[in-house]
Every structure is written in C-alpha cells, then in structure tokens.
Amino acid sequence: MTQTFGELNVVVSQKERLVAFLLCFFFFLFGAHRFYAGRTLSAVSILVLNIIGWFTSFLGVGLVLIGIASFWVFIDFIIIIIGKFKDKNGYLILNWTNPAKQNG
C-alpha cells in the first residue's frame, strides 16, 4: 500500500502497528512482534536468548542473556511507537489500524 506524505510516496506495510505494539508489550519474551512482522530469524533469536537465559539464570550468565533480549525488545517497543518498525520486506509498519479494513 502506498501512502503520500506531502510530495513523498511511501510504501507502507499491510501489518498494523497496534497489533505489533500489543504483541511487543504483552508477549515480549517470545519476540511475538517480530514473528508478526515476518522477521522470523530475529524473533527466534529473542526467543532462544530468553529460553537459555531462564534455564541458566542460576549461573548468572542467564541474567545477562535475559537482559540483552529485554533491551532489544525495549528498543523495538520504542521503534514501534515512533513508527519506524519495518516488516520482512522493509516496509514501515506505520498505520495503527489497517485503512483497507476501515473502508470496507
């Protein structure tokens, strides 16, 4: 979908920013917002960091891994809020809701 901003035409993702925001907020440990955006490899990375982190947290190393994953998701959360988060094709997930659904 293409949207016009002034004289600039931008290709925008069909994904909804509200869904990405909610997935990031509630299911951050699983990288759900990245799975939603189609960014599977990085989503699996967040998931694996958290799983290994929780299983090794008693060693102290796990807390570092959980911290890395949490920081990564926190940055994603901010990027989603400001509208700079991209899907697997590199298109911005810009619209809070899908305009195509609103128009019928």
Side-chain angles (χ1 to χ4, degrees):
M1 167 175 31
T2 303
Q3 290 186 348
T4 304
F5 298 96
E7 295 181 11
L8 183 64
N9 289 331
V10 178
V11 178
V12 177
S13 176
Q14 294 289 327
K15 303 287 184 181
E16 297 178 17
R17 188 167 21 155
L18 180 61
V19 174
F21 172 82
L22 292 173
L23 288 171
C24 187
F25 187 79
F26 289 109
F27 300 106
F28 57 91
L29 290 177
F30 308 109
H33 61 290
R34 286 187 170 264
F35 280 114
Y36 173 71
R39 299 168 73 176
T40 309
L41 185 59
S42 58
V44 169
S45 299
I46 291 172
L47 185 60
V48 168
L49 278 172
N50 277 304
I51 290 171
I52 293 172
W54 283 106
F55 280 112
T56 60
S57 61
F58 65 94
L59 298 174
V61 173
L63 298 177
V64 173
L65 297 177
I66 293 169
I68 291 168
S70 298
F71 183 72
W72 186 355
V73 172
F74 177 71
I75 297 301
D76 279 352
F77 187 73
I78 292 171
I79 291 171
I80 290 168
I81 289 172
I82 64 174
K84 299 293 183 184
F85 196 66
K86 296 180 180 180
D87 67 7
K88 68 177 179 180
N89 298 318
Y91 301 145
L92 288 175
I93 300 177
L94 197 57
N95 297 315
W96 285 100
T97 57
N98 193 340
K101 290 181 183 177
Q102 293 173 353
N103 295 334

